[in-house]
Amino acid sequence: MKKEIQTLLAPGPVGPYSQGIQVGNRVYVAGQGPLNPETGTVPETIEEQTRQVLTNIQNILTAAGATMDHVVKVTAHLSDLKYFDAYNSVYEQFFSRPYPVRTTVGSQLDNILVEIDVIAEI
């Protein structure tokens, strides 16, 4: 049985999808962009955007009763792979060992530098 996960501490969906879905002990978090839900603004730098994206994910996981330590899989999209090192320096502040498995790819994104989705096991 699917259970929808929602929080006002992360941006609401802009289409027909959920912020998160819990199925059993697994939580799937939809791709999150860097929109700050409190201010409605998007930070400028890759570091600030990565921090906001991961904060949005963290807030959705919290609403599901999970933490970043529960994340087992990360998929990250960067608008340009030249941002990888800066993105990675912020990313590692949100996760501890053993790190989740991860795929990071260059993608065409709509006016943002980074989008990330995760799967967590609680």
Side-chain angles (χ1 to χ4, degrees):
M1 169 87 52
K2 294 189 303 185
K3 175 185 172 190
E4 183 176 17
I5 307 301
Q6 283 186 302
T7 179
L8 296 175
L9 299 176
V14 294
Y17 63 89
S18 300
Q19 286 176 320
I21 292 286
Q22 183 172 351
V23 180
N25 292 334
R26 190 158 291 154
V27 177
Y28 300 87
V29 175
Q32 295 298 302
L35 181 69
N36 180 320
E38 294 178 25
T39 65
T41 62
V42 173
E44 289 188 31
T45 69
I46 186 63
E47 293 89 351
E48 293 168 323
Q49 286 196 20
T50 301
R51 186 172 319 288
Q52 185 62 58
V53 167
L54 292 170
T55 298
N56 292 341
I57 288 170
Q58 193 170 43
N59 289 334
I60 294 168
L61 289 171
T62 298
T67 69
M68 297 299 265
D69 287 337
H70 291 106
V71 174
V72 296
K73 172 74 170 103
V74 174
T75 303
H77 299 265
L78 300 177
S79 65
D80 192 315
L81 290 175
K82 71 181 181 184
Y83 296 127
F84 182 83
D85 289 338
Y87 142 81
N88 205 45
S89 70
V90 175
Y91 175 94
E92 68 183 345
Q93 296 170 24
F94 281 80
F95 295 99
S96 56
R97 293 185 181 272
Y99 296 117
V101 298
R102 181 176 79 180
T103 302
T104 303
V105 297
S107 295
Q108 193 171 9
L109 300 172
D110 190 18
N111 296 318
I112 60 173
L113 304 177
V114 59
E115 180 176 351
I116 301 172
D117 67 83
V118 303
I119 300 171
E121 186 78 22
I122 46 179

